[in-house]
């Protein structure tokens, strides 16, 4: 039996979402980005809103997100995706506007834009990939780097007196009147992937139904930045990140 | 004809709005106009002044260093602008607000006791219209009718009921202004 | 006296107010900005007018100028006609965003109402942001079209012209004004209402826009300034450079005042300085001096050809700008060495009076005479 004879629709048990194109991803093995991209593609496809989606990607590892999903993308400057999204959504109020941001983008250089977009209650969804490190630039300290964690710019471990403390931007988001849904998820296991997908779907529905701003944090791995194998990275995340960034809903006014 | 006027006093005396009404009156006369305020950080009771130019021709520079007329409503304004009046020009001052009257003898000095008149009638809000009336008596750049038409354009509809009171103040200002030299 | 109807068309308005009112009438889709003196009346006027209830124009007070320009960026990506307004330090904060807008060849209008600098400087009027607007502070090879209104009426007109140019050339347009033009009131006739473009019109005009329209029947659009391959980046830059050359060939605009065949001296001035200089020219002409003024109406592209041609017969040029000398460099380049160029102006929030300009002209003429001219030619 040849390969061509085997690959036929009747035999198919799994397919990639049609919105994902064939561009090879630049993400490292074991990275969470690919999974989250796929979830987003699935949700947009299931909601049938391809023509009503305006996606905004960040500066950071997801800087090339626009290469992989067949929706209209805006590549924002570092940290400014929420400002960009605010304008886009106010001008196109019946479309889904979502941002996809890393920890540096969301919680460091763009903290002001993030908090003000959330606080204005912009009808947008924000996907926040928190891997506690700057992946693209080579593993430097992030605002969410854990205490004691080693990075290229805190090689002896994060210390309060030198570097200050990790920023809990998701917790801050939950206190803002403009947010309707704030949740923290992960994509390390199949059940968690399902939960994360449900959360992203809810965030997108909130945006489409003009319920206010939704923030979905995905506690993520960075095997390369953490200098671990993909498997070790998942384990390290469960042991170190989850206690500090516990999974679950922080706020849900929709239910 | 080109008339370059500086109106100067304290914030709250109605300096800017007097200038605006004058400029509107100029438009009603078919003239070219400019209204350039001195602005600064917002401060109640701070200084306020505005340069108004009314001309038959296109107004070139809205910024001038010499004026045909200065209307000064406090002492610092008199000291600042008296030297900037063109020879043969006019200075108008409020009698109550000025302690040291103007000294130059190559300009015509006029005094208007607008503050007192406003206090007498119990309506301090028409102070600037009394002064405007005095000015129009000395320099008839626009008729009272055109000023009133200007007021209709300058004021929002809800304030139009106040126009007769303002017109009365303008006419009263024309009566009480006095030449001092 | 004019007839009543004509007078009733005129309104007495501040330059800043007119920016807001003209934007609504020219069918702008949105405004994003942050308060700063001396231009806060733009947002204030929009807030009073509530255009979102009439034309559907969006108005948003952003959290900063950085956010404002990135809102413009996002809006421009989707093909909308939007603008922001700020003053010198605020425009400084926008430089990165302007570079991104140019990099993605986006429409967008930036109103800059100049004040004295550097730093916080003063809130009084200034023209020390010529370099900021014309040469830019963002990274990379880029240019913005820069319009320079010199009256309240032109503030209105420029909003219309900018709206047209920004889509024609897919590049941001800066309207470089100053605190005098922004704060002063003059007679103005506002433009008639033009409806905002429909979604279908936007899709037809901007097939590159990232608004999802018609996605299923086209390749998706992605607007990014990032390229990892330097050759691709260079190709993009070369294409943009070609576009900039065409803009320079087609859009340079200027106005002459009292320039004739036997003009000996030229004043070059824009914005408020051109108004002050008009009066200075009048005073000098009354004294029998053959002087005229060239006023650039576009600062980029700069009317270099016109200046070059006039330089052939002009003895010297006085560049009047309210700064320590910025546009003078472009004037010097434009003369191609054919005329000596002098500068006068105040800075830090001070503004030259017509008499100041006349005095500076006299000094210039004195020097010119000493150098090149037969004795006996002098001002009364």
């Amino acid at each position: 039996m040849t390969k061509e004879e085997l690959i036929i629709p009747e035999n198919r048990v799994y397919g990639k979402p049609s919105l994902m194109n064939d561009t090879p991803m630049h993400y490292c093995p074991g990275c969470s980005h690919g999974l989250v991209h796929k979830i987003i593609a699935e949700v947009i496809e299931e909601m049938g809103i391809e023509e009503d989606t305006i996606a905004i990607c960040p500066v950071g590892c997801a800087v090339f997100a626009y290469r992989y999903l067949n929706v209209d993308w805006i590549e924002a400057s570092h940290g400014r995706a929420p400002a960009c999204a605010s304008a886009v959504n106010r001008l196109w109020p019946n479309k889904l506007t979502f941002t996809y941001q890393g920890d540096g983008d969301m919680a460091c250089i763009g903290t002001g834009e993030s908090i003000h977009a959330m606080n204005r209650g912009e009808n947008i969804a924000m996907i926040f990939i928190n891997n506690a490190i700057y992946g693209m630039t080579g593993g430097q300290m992030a605002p969410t780097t854990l205490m004691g964690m080693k990075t290229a710019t805190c090689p002896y471990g994060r210390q309060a007196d030198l570097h200050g403390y990790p920023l809990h931007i998701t917790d801050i988001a939950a206190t803002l009147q403009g947010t309707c849904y704030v949740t923290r998820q992960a994509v390390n296991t199949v059940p968690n992937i399902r939960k994360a997908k449900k959360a992203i779907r809810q965030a997108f529905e909130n945006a489409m139904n003009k319920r206010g701003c939704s923030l979905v944090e995905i506690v993520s791995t960075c095997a390369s930045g953490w200098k671990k194998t993909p498997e070790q990275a998942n384990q390290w995340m469960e042991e170190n990140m989850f206690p500090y960034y516990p999974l679950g809903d922080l706020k849900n006014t929709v239910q | 004809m080109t008339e370059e006027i500086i109106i100067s006093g304290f914030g709250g005396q109605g300096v800017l709005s007097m200038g605006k009404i004058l400029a509107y009156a100029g438009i009603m006369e078919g003239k070219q106009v400019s209204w350039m305020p001195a602005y600064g950080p917002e401060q109640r009771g701070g200084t306020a002044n505005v340069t108004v130019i009314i001309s038959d021709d296109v107004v070139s520079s809205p910024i001038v260093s010499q004026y045909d007329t200065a209307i000064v409503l406090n002492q610092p304004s008199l000291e600042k602008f008296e030297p900037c009046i063109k020879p043969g020009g006019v200075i108008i001052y409020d009698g109550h607000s000025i302690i040291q009257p103007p000294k130059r003898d190559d300009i015509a000095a006029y005094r208007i006791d607008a503050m007192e008149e406003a206090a007498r009638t119990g309506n301090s809000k028409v102070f600037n219209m009394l002064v405007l009336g005095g000015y129009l008596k000395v320099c008839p750049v626009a008729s009272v009718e055109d000023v009133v038409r200007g007021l209709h354009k300058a004021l929002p509809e809800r304030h139009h009921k106040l126009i007769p009171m303002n017109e009365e103040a303008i006419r009263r200002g024309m009566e009480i202004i006095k030449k001092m030299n | 006296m004019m007839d009543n109807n004509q007078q009733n068309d005129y309104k007495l308005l501040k330059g800043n107010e007119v920016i807001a009112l003209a934007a609504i009438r020219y069918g702008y889709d949105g405004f994003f900005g942050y308060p700063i003196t001396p231009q806060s009346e733009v947002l204030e006027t929009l807030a009073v007018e509530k255009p979102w209830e009439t034309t559907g124009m969006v108005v948003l007070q952003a959290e900063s100028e950085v956010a404002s320009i990135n809102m413009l960026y996002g809006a421009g990506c989707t093909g909308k006609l939007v603008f922001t307004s700020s003053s010198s330090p605020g425009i400084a904060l926008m430089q990165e965003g302007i570079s991104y807008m140019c990099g993605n060849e986006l429409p967008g209008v930036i109103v800059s109402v100049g004040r004295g600098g550097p730093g916080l400087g003063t809130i009084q009027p200034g023209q020390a942001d010529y370099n900021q607007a014309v040469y830019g502070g963002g990274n990379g090879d880029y240019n913005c079209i820069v319009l320079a209104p010199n009256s309240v009426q032109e503030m209105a007109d420029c909003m219309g012209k900018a709206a047209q140019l920004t889509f024609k050339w897919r590049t941001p347009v800066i309207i470089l004004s100053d605190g005098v033009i922004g704060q002063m009131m003059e007679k103005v006739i506002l433009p008639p209402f033009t409806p905002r473009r429909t979604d279908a019109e936007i899709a037809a005009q901007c097939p590159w826009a990232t608004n999802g329209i018609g996605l299923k029947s086209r390749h998706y659009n992605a607007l990014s300034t990032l390229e990892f391959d330097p050759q691709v980046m260079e190709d993009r830059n070369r294409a943009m450079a070609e576009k900039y050359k065409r803009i320079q060939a087609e859009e340079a605009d200027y106005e002459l005042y009292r320039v004739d065949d036997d003009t000996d001296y030229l004043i070059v001035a824009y914005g408020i300085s051109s108004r002050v200089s008009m009066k200075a020219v009048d005073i000098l002409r009354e004294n029998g001096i053959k002087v005229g003024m060239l006023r650039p109406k576009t600062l980029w592209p700069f009317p270099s050809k016109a200046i070059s041609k006039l330089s052939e017969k002009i003895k010297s040029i006085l560049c009047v700008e309210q700064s320590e000398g910025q546009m003078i460099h472009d004037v010097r380049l434009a003369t191609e060495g054919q005329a000596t160029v002098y500068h006068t102006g105040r800075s830090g929030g001070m503004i030259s009076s017509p008499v100041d300009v006349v005095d500076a002209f006299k000094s210039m003429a004195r020097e010119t005479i000493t150098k090149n001219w037969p004795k006996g030619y002098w001002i009364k």
Side-chain angles (χ1 to χ4, degrees), chain A residues 51 66 72-73 75 92 120, chain C residues 73 212 216 218 220-221:
Chain A
E51 297 205 318
Y66 61 84
D72 281 353
W73 281 96
E75 164 62 46
W92 301 91
R120 281 192 301 261
Chain C
Y73 173 82
K216 285 178 182 164
R218 62 167 164 86
Y220 72 93
N221 289 329

Side-chain angles (χ1 to χ4, degrees), chain A residues 39 185-197 242 247:
Chain A
I39 291 172
Q185 303 289 333
V187 289
N188 58 325
T189 63
V190 172
N192 277 352
I193 291 171
R194 289 201 177 126
K195 280 189 205 160
K197 182 174 173 182
F242 289 177
L247 306 187

Side-chain angles (χ1 to χ4, degrees), chain A residues 92, chain C residues 26-27 29 76-82 105 107 162-170 195-211 213 221:
Chain A
W92 301 91
Chain C
Y26 279 118
D29 296 306
C77 284
T78 64
K80 294 279 187 175
L81 169 60
V82 294
E105 303 190 62
Q164 180 247 329
L165 289 175
T166 198
F167 281 97
K168 178 181 176 189
W169 294 106
R170 276 188 66 183
R196 290 170 49 237
R197 293 161 306 149
T198 61
D199 288 0
E201 284 165 346
I202 291 173
Q205 187 183 20
C206 311
W208 44 266
T210 57
N211 50 32
I213 297 173
N221 289 329

Side-chain angles (χ1 to χ4, degrees), chain A residues 19 21 23 48 50-54 59 63-78 80 82-88 90-92 95 112-114 116-117 120 122 136, chain C residues 29-30 32 58-64 66-67 70-75 77-78 80 82 96 100 104 199 202 209-226 228:
Chain A
L19 285 183
N21 57 42
T23 310
E50 299 93 318
E51 297 205 318
D52 292 318
T53 296
I54 302 170
V59 171
V63 71
F64 281 133
Y66 61 84
R67 290 185 171 181
Y68 312 129
L69 301 194
N70 297 338
V71 293
D72 281 353
W73 281 96
I74 298 170
E75 164 62 46
S77 62
H78 200 12
R80 317 302 169 211
C84 189
S86 300
V88 168
R90 280 168 186 253
L91 291 161
W92 301 91
K95 291 184 184 270
E113 284 77 7
S114 301
H116 282 283
R120 281 192 301 261
E122 300 291 350
M136 181 178 239
Chain C
D29 296 306
F32 306 91
V58 167
V59 177
L60 179 60
Q61 177 168 340
E63 62 268 35
S64 67
V66 174
N70 282 283
M71 289 172 176
L72 228 64
Y73 173 82
C77 284
T78 64
K80 294 279 187 175
V82 294
E96 179 201 42
Y100 277 63
N104 270 336
D199 288 0
I202 291 173
T210 57
N211 50 32
I213 297 173
L215 182 89
K216 285 178 182 164
S217 53
R218 62 167 164 86
H219 190 276
Y220 72 93
N221 289 329
L223 286 167
S224 170
T225 53
L226 178 68
F228 269 1

Side-chain angles (χ1 to χ4, degrees), chain C residues 330-362:
Chain C
D330 280 339
V331 177
R332 274 198 182 125
L333 283 172
T335 62
E336 299 176 53
Q338 300 172 100
T340 318
V341 185
Y342 298 83
H343 166 265
T344 191
R346 307 287 299 272
S347 71
M350 301 300 290
I351 301 286
S352 305
S353 72
V355 174
D356 292 339
V357 175
V358 168
D359 289 345
F361 181 89
K362 286 178 182 171

